[in-house]
Amino acid sequence: FFYSIKGSGDKNIVLISGSGVASTYTDIYKIWSALEKNPEVSVFIYDRPGMGRSSLTENKRDADSLADELYKTLEGASFKGLCTIAAHSMAGLTALRFAQKYPDSVKGIVLID
């Protein structure tokens, strides 16, 4: 999956866009651009399958699958350590399920409406 990491701070933030958007970048650009200016943080964004620069998938589109895809993408990107997940709209379900399945990876969750 396509992903991007900005910053090199020790506070990890994962931004997840809501559903029905063309790409994560366009959905949360203002938040991402504000956070990347903070030298204390590293900000991770990714396009779920079928969005933006990521290809389609045959995988289920349920909360478990989305949480697993996020986990594998973070691992593949070597984005390690506790993360604060900021999730927009329906992505809140992914963030909550991710925290349930991978509690050792989550510092906190911010839900954005």
Side-chain angles (χ1 to χ4, degrees):
F1 308 124
F2 170 79
Y3 67 87
S4 182
I5 301 170
K6 297 285 185 177
S8 58
D10 60 355
K11 296 177 181 174
N12 294 332
I13 300 174
V14 175
L15 299 176
I16 310 174
S17 65
S19 63
V21 297
S23 74
T24 300
Y25 178 81
T26 58
D27 188 38
I28 56 177
Y29 170 76
K30 288 184 179 184
I31 297 169
W32 186 38
S33 62
L35 287 172
E36 74 176 332
K37 295 174 187 171
N38 184 334
E40 296 180 357
V41 303
S42 293
V43 184
F44 177 94
I45 66 167
Y46 76 112
D47 286 336
R48 292 184 302 275
M51 291 179 59
R53 298 183 199 172
S54 291
S55 59
L56 296 174
T57 183
E58 296 293 324
N59 293 344
K60 291 180 183 180
R61 308 314 312 147
D62 59 17
D64 282 321
S65 297
L66 294 170
D68 293 341
E69 289 170 356
L70 174 56
Y71 185 79
K72 290 174 186 171
T73 304
L74 289 169
E75 274 192 326
S78 296
F79 198 75
K80 301 188 188 279
L82 288 174
C83 299
T84 298
I85 301 174
H88 176 226
S89 190
M90 288 292 289
L93 297 174
T94 302
L96 294 172
R97 188 64 184 134
F98 184 89
Q100 291 170 336
K101 292 185 82 165
Y102 307 103
D104 293 338
S105 298
V106 179
K107 183 175 185 175
I109 297 173
V110 176
L111 301 175
I112 305 166
D113 185 16

